[in-house]
Amino acid sequence: MATADFQESDMNDAEYDFVCQNCASEGLNVEAEYFCKDCAKYVCTNHKNNVHAGHMIPRKSENELAKCYLHNSEFIMFCQTHQELCCDKCLEQNHRSCSDLEFLFVMIAKDKITNENVIKQQAEAKITLEELSKYRKPYNMQKDRIEESAKTAITEIKVFRRNIDTVLDALEKESIDSVNSLKDELTIELQQNINHLLALQGELYNTMTTLIPHSRHELLEYIRFNKVRDIVRKSYSHITDVMTKPANEIEFKENTIQYLEVLNTKIQTLGTIKLEEPCSGIAYHADNLYVASKTVLNMYNTSGYRVKKLYEDNVTPGSVNLCKVNNKGTLIYITGIGQSQIMQLDWSDGQAKPLKQVSLTDPRGLCITEIGNVLVCDRGSNSIMLVNGTNISTLIGSTDCPNMPVAVCYTRTNPCLIIGSSSRNSIRVIRLNEVI
């Protein structure tokens, strides 16, 4: 009975907002100072080692409980529309249009809190704590799945990279073999010309030394004379051929377009198109290839036949560097190295004109979104520009854009931009808040 009297006395000594649950199970009334979010348990200082130490968080003091946990400002009003306590910053950010706001001292007077309400709210809070605890396992499982899926994706990326390297290695070997074969062919031809020159030189010298004026052997003299004359004629003919023929050199030109099929992480070469000119950029639409070649834009079919020349600018080297075709195939956009504008070629009249009101500093990579907007890498200003008709705006400024952007790709699913930089040979992914 003595113990029972002690417990009853102790339990009624004081009222606490939060009681140590371990002490309460022993019949003691002790204020909780800590809360374990994983065990959903309030404990005092003496019992805090009985739960997971890494999960412990100190309970907030009464003064701290009177403050907004988002802005660390004191609550001053209550929004009856949203049933939320509000500090001054909450009012400014989230409740400007709310008409049912009341000061807390007014709410205290008209909305009395009874013991019955407190007990009911505590019971509801306890049930909610238990429900929240149940979701820890699904969250952890989801976290594990994200971890595993990320590892799988990284593995696939590395495999994909190796496949790309395999294709590029094969293309490099083919190109090097072609260069070596051409080198051998030109070297053999050059050596034949050298041998021919040496033969003419030796024959001319030998014949010339036997040519004697007023020789007694007239027939022999006549033969030697004409032989020398014939060798001299052949020598000059050979020299003329050498002088007028361009010097042979080997130059690498980017005129091999590879057709590749990507299936999962495997890449297969479907075919190759040989071009008549170097290739600096390509675009594809409706079984037609649009090939930018430094100063010329040509259209090819998928068989490699050049259909027609679409645009040419021989005045400015590099003026036709990259190109893109809009979704309908009616407009072609062209950017050039060091230019300050974008050229737009209209199929309706076949004319290429600069986009008015669009001023850039060295535009490079292009991308056209599904709704027809044009994205441009402005390398000079380190930004990604959005072109809508004749209007242009900055989509990604120099603060967020990687230095010297030269390539951009847009994906509408989970909207984001993939930007390639020539400064550090890097790629950056930037999430967007809206579909463009």
Side-chain angles (χ1 to χ4, degrees):
M1 293 298 294
T3 304
D5 291 339
F6 170 78
Q7 290 177 345
E8 182 178 354
S9 174
D10 190 56
M11 287 290 289
N12 294 320
D13 281 345
E15 293 184 0
Y16 301 116
D17 291 329
F18 299 94
V19 178
C20 172
Q21 292 171 255
N22 285 10
C23 291
S25 65
E26 299 172 5
L28 301 176
N29 181 28
V30 179
E31 184 179 17
E33 298 293 336
Y34 296 90
F35 173 71
C36 176
K37 61 181 180 179
D38 293 273
C39 304
K41 207 171 193 179
Y42 289 96
V43 294
C44 64
T45 303
N46 293 332
H47 286 103
K48 73 174 184 177
N49 293 328
N50 294 2
V51 294
H52 301 293
H55 301 166
M56 298 303 299
I57 55 173
R59 269 194 49 236
K60 292 183 180 294
S61 65
E62 290 187 5
N63 290 335
E64 288 176 317
L65 286 172
K67 292 184 179 180
C68 172
Y69 72 94
L70 288 177
H71 306 115
N72 198 29
S73 299
E74 291 187 358
F75 291 119
I76 57 175
M77 301 193 82
F78 185 81
C79 176
Q80 298 179 76
T81 302
H82 296 96
Q83 291 293 296
E84 290 180 355
L85 292 163
C86 308
C87 70
D88 54 348
K89 293 181 181 177
C90 291
L91 293 172
E92 177 70 20
Q93 295 176 8
N94 304 319
H95 299 276
R96 283 187 176 185
S97 59
C98 297
S99 59
D100 230 355
L101 293 166
E102 286 285 5
F103 285 100
L104 291 184
F105 65 84
V106 175
M107 292 300 300
I108 291 171
K110 75 177 192 178
D111 187 15
K112 294 291 185 180
I113 298 177
T114 64
N115 289 337
E116 182 181 353
N117 290 339
V118 172
I119 294 171
K120 183 179 179 180
Q121 189 66 63
Q122 284 181 330
E124 185 178 345
K126 182 178 180 181
I127 293 173
T128 304
L129 282 172
E130 293 172 352
E131 287 296 317
L132 290 173
S133 298
K134 293 178 183 179
Y135 283 92
R136 277 193 54 79
K137 185 176 180 181
Y139 278 144
N140 285 332
M141 291 175 64
Q142 185 176 357
K143 182 180 176 182
D144 292 340
R145 286 197 298 270
I146 291 173
E147 185 72 24
E148 290 301 317
S149 62
K151 290 179 180 178
T152 302
I154 291 172
T155 301
E156 291 176 351
I157 290 171
K158 291 182 177 180
V159 172
F160 187 61
R161 167 61 185 271
R162 287 196 294 270
N163 288 333
I164 292 175
D165 288 342
T166 300
V167 173
L168 293 177
D169 289 343
L171 184 59
E172 179 187 17
K173 184 179 183 304
E174 179 184 343
S175 300
I176 292 175
D177 290 344
S178 177
V179 169
N180 287 330
S181 177
L182 180 59
K183 181 195 71 172
D184 294 341
E185 180 183 334
L186 294 176
T187 301
I188 291 172
E189 180 184 353
L190 183 61
Q191 189 60 50
Q192 289 174 344
N193 289 334
I194 292 173
N195 293 340
H196 183 56
L197 179 65
L198 292 174
L200 287 173
Q201 187 177 10
E203 189 175 1
L204 180 59
Y205 179 80
N206 292 333
T207 307
M208 181 186 66
T209 55
T210 61
L211 187 61
I212 302 174
H214 309 295
S215 174
R216 296 180 181 179
H217 303 286
E218 293 181 358
L219 177 60
L220 184 59
E221 186 64 26
Y222 183 80
I223 293 173
R224 288 173 178 169
F225 178 82
N226 283 280
K227 190 173 182 180
V228 170
R229 185 167 60 181
D230 181 58
I231 296 172
V232 169
R233 180 180 58 79
K234 290 179 179 179
S235 298
Y236 275 108
S237 176
H238 180 77
I239 292 171
T240 301
D241 288 343
V242 171
M243 295 297 294
T244 57
K245 186 177 181 180
N248 289 322
E249 290 183 357
I250 298 175
E251 180 183 358
F252 174 70
K253 294 183 178 181
E254 309 92 332
N255 61 348
T256 301
I257 294 179
Q258 296 280 329
Y259 274 95
L260 305 175
E261 180 185 51
V262 180
L263 185 62
N264 295 326
T265 58
K266 295 184 178 180
I267 303 176
Q268 181 180 357
T269 302
L270 300 182
T272 302
I273 290 181
K274 298 289 186 180
L275 305 178
E276 300 178 13
E277 65 281 331
C279 172
S280 57
I282 59 174
Y284 175 81
H285 185 273
D287 289 334
N288 287 319
L289 284 174
Y290 300 86
V291 180
S293 305
K294 308 297 185 181
T295 58
V296 181
L297 179 68
N298 289 314
M299 183 174 76
Y300 284 78
N301 62 22
T302 52
S303 299
Y305 174 75
R306 187 169 71 174
V307 179
K308 64 185 300 186
K309 181 191 296 183
L310 300 176
Y311 174 71
E312 184 172 12
D313 179 4
N314 286 322
V315 177
T316 310
S319 58
V320 186
N321 188 52
L322 296 172
C323 63
K324 282 292 179 184
V325 184
N326 72 345
N327 303 328
K328 297 180 180 179
T330 56
L331 297 173
I332 304 173
Y333 298 92
I334 306 168
T335 60
I337 297 174
Q339 302 298 297
S340 60
Q341 59 192 9
I342 303 173
M343 299 300 293
Q344 177 181 279
L345 190 148
D346 193 335
W347 267 109
S348 62
D349 57 12
Q351 298 295 317
K353 303 173 183 177
L355 285 178
K356 295 181 179 179
Q357 302 176 6
V358 177
S359 180
L360 302 169
T361 51
D362 197 8
R364 295 297 180 94
L366 294 163
C367 177
I368 299 180
T369 69
E370 293 181 19
I371 60 176
N373 289 327
V374 182
L375 303 178
V376 187
C377 293
D378 194 16
R379 186 173 180 267
S381 64
N382 293 326
S383 57
I384 304 297
M385 312 303 291
L386 175 64
V387 181
N388 185 353
T390 58
N391 298 320
I392 185 169
S393 59
T394 301
L395 182 62
I396 304 295
S398 58
T399 303
D400 300 315
C401 187
N403 193 32
M404 301 173 69
V406 292
V408 60
C409 179
Y410 169 74
T411 172
R412 186 171 183 175
T413 306
N414 192 10
C416 68
L417 295 180
I418 304 172
I419 305 171
S421 165
S422 63
S423 173
R424 296 183 178 178
N425 292 326
S426 61
I427 294 176
R428 180 179 297 178
V429 178
I430 298 179
R431 303 290 181 188
L432 301 179
N433 295 325
E434 58 182 349
V435 175
I436 57 175

